[in-house]
Amino acid sequence: MKFKKIVLVFCFAGILLSCKSYLDSTKSSTLLDITTETDENKFVNLKNYSNDFVYDMKYATADNFLKEKVYPCDECFLRVKTVKSLLAANKNFIEKGFKIKLYDCYRPRAIQRKMWKIVPDANYVANPKKGSIHNKGGAVDITLIDSLGIELDMGTKFDFFGEEASHNYLNLSDTIIQNRKFLKDIMLQNNFSSFDSEWWHYNLNGSKADKVENLKWKCN
């Protein structure tokens, strides 16, 4: 009992950053309505607003270019405004027989520092001193799957760091070029911008001005 009281006092005093820095990973028993969220900058769990996404959160596994798990579990947190645009984009894809598959969403600055420590190269990892749009809750790494759950051929794997991953690289089959264009066109129509060197990366327009955050989440 005494220990609990001491922790509460510390939290109130702001001594323990973790007391206020944890995002809620609890899955709602029913889907929530994103349109009722009035704080556009609030961080929310995408899973509470739709069942129509597929998750393959690479950094919650060792199946990534770092070869190391750096997320505690595979949650996808984003700012409310990002979720609103992402839901709209996914609705457009679903109408055409496809769904968004997510590789990465919001990334705490502490994780950015950990990634930088493993691979301290700005060609592959954003320097945590400046941070990335992922650290601001405005970026997603995605691909598309068809009605059978099969990924569309985008020419390279996620986090392939070569010229072949660029939107400007055209020495690809017509199918791959059309798949990338399909993904890009609908994302751009829904308030996202593309990242030239990575076909999978999209930033919410205006999110560059948002604050880099270090909000973490506990796994259930």
Side-chain angles (χ1 to χ4, degrees):
M1 181 64 70
K2 287 183 179 180
F3 176 75
K4 288 183 179 180
K5 287 182 178 179
I6 290 171
V7 170
L8 288 173
V9 171
F10 281 177
C11 290
F12 185 77
I15 294 173
L16 293 180
L17 292 176
S18 61
C19 296
K20 284 192 175 182
S21 65
Y22 278 104
L23 297 167
D24 187 3
S25 298
T26 305
K27 182 75 163 62
S28 175
S29 58
T30 58
L31 288 179
L32 306 178
D33 183 358
I34 196 65
T35 64
T36 65
E37 298 288 354
T38 57
D39 184 355
E40 294 285 291
N41 287 311
K42 175 184 174 182
F43 279 85
V44 295
N45 192 334
L46 179 62
K47 292 178 182 178
N48 283 333
Y49 298 87
S50 175
N51 291 323
D52 293 325
F53 291 89
V54 175
Y55 298 86
D56 185 11
M57 307 297 284
K58 293 297 188 183
Y59 300 122
T61 73
D63 181 22
N64 57 65
F65 78 102
L66 300 168
K67 306 302 180 185
E68 185 175 331
K69 176 181 176 179
V70 293
Y71 286 1
C73 52
D74 61 343
E75 299 295 349
C76 175
F77 287 95
L78 295 164
R79 292 190 191 271
V80 166
K81 58 187 177 182
T82 311
V83 171
K84 287 180 177 178
S85 290
L86 194 64
L87 288 171
N90 204 34
K91 181 180 178 182
N92 291 164
F93 287 124
I94 289 171
E95 289 169 351
K96 299 178 184 298
F98 301 89
K99 286 184 181 179
I100 290 176
K101 183 176 186 176
L102 291 139
Y103 294 131
D104 197 19
C105 300
Y106 162 68
R107 181 188 308 153
R109 189 173 219 162
I111 301 296
Q112 194 71 36
R113 292 193 187 102
K114 187 172 183 178
M115 293 172 72
W116 181 258
K117 187 175 182 180
I118 298 169
V119 181
D121 187 336
N123 292 314
Y124 304 102
V125 178
N127 190 320
K129 289 183 178 179
K130 181 179 180 182
S132 75
I133 307 299
H134 278 295
N135 305 142
K136 300 180 179 186
V140 288
D141 292 335
I142 61 175
T143 191
L144 294 173
I145 61 168
D146 64 18
S147 59
L148 298 177
I150 299 172
E151 289 186 22
L152 271 62
D153 187 356
M154 297 294 182
T156 75
K157 291 184 178 181
F158 164 66
D159 266 0
F160 174 85
F161 298 105
E163 62 177 348
E164 294 87 351
S166 171
H167 284 286
N168 300 318
Y169 186 81
L170 299 178
N171 189 21
L172 301 164
S173 71
D174 290 342
T175 298
I176 293 171
I177 291 173
Q178 287 304 311
N179 287 345
R180 290 187 183 185
K181 184 178 185 301
F182 176 49
L183 175 61
K184 183 177 180 179
D185 285 350
I186 288 184
M187 292 300 287
L188 266 57
Q189 290 168 21
N190 285 280
N191 202 31
F192 286 93
S193 58
S194 62
F195 190 61
D196 285 346
S197 62
E198 300 175 355
W199 60 259
W200 56 83
H201 183 105
Y202 287 88
N203 294 326
L204 183 73
N205 291 330
S207 58
K208 188 175 181 180
D210 290 331
K211 180 185 175 184
V212 169
E213 298 285 358
N214 193 37
L215 301 167
K216 306 177 188 70
W217 58 88
K218 292 181 179 178
C219 303
N220 292 322

